[in-house]
Amino acid sequence: MRILLIEDDTETQEFLLRRLEEKGFAVDIAKTGNRGIFLAKTNEYDVILLDYGLPEKNGFMVCEEIRSSGKHTPIIMISVSDAVDYKIKGLTAGADDYVAKPFYFEELFARIQAMLRRPAVLESSFYSIDDLKVDIDRQTVMRANAPIYLTRKEFSLLEYLLKHTGTVVTRGELMEHIWDMTLDPFSNTIETHVLNLRRKIEQPSKIKLIHSIPGRGYKIDLIR
């Protein structure tokens, strides 16, 4: 999952970046309102964390411009004020939720999870295909009841493929949703992670689950 953090305070940036990466998120950072608008319009994010007090344009203005561009990415606005009129103004500008500083990271994380569960079809937190079982909330992976250790990126990759079971996922989609904008599009990072993931969940005696679709991408499916 990929998050855009629009925040100009260095201490808050570093804190949220560290904690979100610990949870397996890829995070892009914008330090000004205009930069945040540009990234939000040109990239695909799963959630946007938007501070109110920004250089150039405040959070309300940024939120309005993102929404006017046709982007429906969930936005959680963060502000030092918990005044009701600020909350109303933020929600009216197009934010989906509002958090006042100071906040507990656990509360913010719970709100992020709520945003991620908000699609028209409620996403499951548990996936099973053949004898592979993945619990998203507990971050556990098992095949034939044997636990499998995955790195954070491998787990995020597997989660994204499972959420699109039976559907071809392009390399571009994986870049947008699993990695941040520092990834070199010409590197073989994605291919390497897919290969490592296959090695871990597809032992010789097991049915192949991750399939390469030449010229298109990858999909996870049960093909006997």
Side-chain angles (χ1 to χ4, degrees):
M1 298 290 105
R2 188 177 179 186
I3 286 180
L4 173 59
L5 172 60
I6 309 176
E7 169 66 68
D8 66 319
D9 180 71
T10 301
E11 185 176 344
T12 303
Q13 283 176 20
E14 293 175 351
F15 169 72
L16 288 177
L17 177 64
R18 175 172 54 83
R19 294 303 306 272
L20 290 168
E21 288 185 337
E22 287 173 356
K23 295 293 185 180
F25 291 100
V27 183
D28 290 342
I29 295 177
K31 299 181 180 181
T32 68
N34 284 335
R35 179 63 176 168
I37 291 168
F38 173 77
L39 291 180
K41 287 182 177 181
T42 56
N43 297 292
E44 293 296 326
Y45 294 100
D46 297 287
V47 174
I48 295 173
L49 300 181
L50 173 60
D51 184 46
Y52 167 72
L54 295 166
E56 300 175 349
K57 293 181 180 178
N58 64 41
F60 298 149
M61 299 167 68
V62 172
C63 191
E64 287 175 344
E65 288 204 35
I66 292 173
R67 291 297 184 235
S68 66
S69 72
K71 289 286 186 178
H72 300 289
T73 309
I75 296 175
I76 300 177
M77 187 167 286
I78 301 172
S79 172
V80 294
S81 175
D82 62 353
V84 173
D85 59 335
Y86 267 68
K87 294 180 181 179
I88 293 173
K89 191 172 180 179
L91 296 173
T92 301
D96 298 272
D97 202 351
Y98 187 103
V99 177
K101 295 179 181 179
F103 55 82
Y104 288 103
F105 176 77
E106 291 73 16
E107 178 189 358
L108 178 62
F109 180 60
R111 291 172 183 266
I112 292 171
Q113 288 182 307
M115 293 295 104
L116 295 175
R117 289 195 296 266
R118 201 177 269 190
V121 178
L122 189 65
E123 292 180 348
S124 172
S125 63
F126 183 84
Y127 294 89
S128 177
I129 181 170
D130 190 46
D131 56 356
L132 176 72
K133 301 183 186 303
V134 179
D135 188 321
I136 302 301
D137 291 339
R138 296 184 179 182
Q139 300 270 296
T140 58
V141 180
M142 302 186 74
R143 190 155 195 193
N145 295 318
I148 299 172
Y149 169 77
L150 299 181
T151 65
R152 291 189 186 120
K153 274 289 184 281
E154 289 167 352
F155 188 90
S156 295
L157 175 60
L158 178 58
E159 177 185 357
Y160 193 80
L161 289 171
L162 286 168
K163 287 182 176 180
H164 299 83
T165 297
T167 302
V168 177
V169 175
T170 67
R171 192 176 187 276
E173 288 179 271
L174 295 177
M175 286 182 62
E176 289 183 339
H177 290 276
I178 309 301
W179 278 268
D180 59 34
M181 62 184 178
T182 62
L183 176 67
D184 180 357
F186 299 105
S187 73
N188 64 348
T189 298
I190 294 175
E191 291 75 13
T192 300
H193 278 79
V194 171
L195 179 61
N196 290 339
L197 182 58
R198 279 174 166 157
R199 286 173 176 167
K200 291 182 178 183
I201 70 173
E202 297 180 351
Q203 297 87 355
S205 61
K206 297 296 182 183
I207 294 172
K208 184 178 179 181
L209 297 177
I210 299 176
H211 308 274
S212 295
I213 312 300
R216 296 175 62 194
Y218 305 94
K219 75 172 177 177
I220 192 165
D221 205 354
L222 188 56
I223 302 176
R224 297 179 182 274

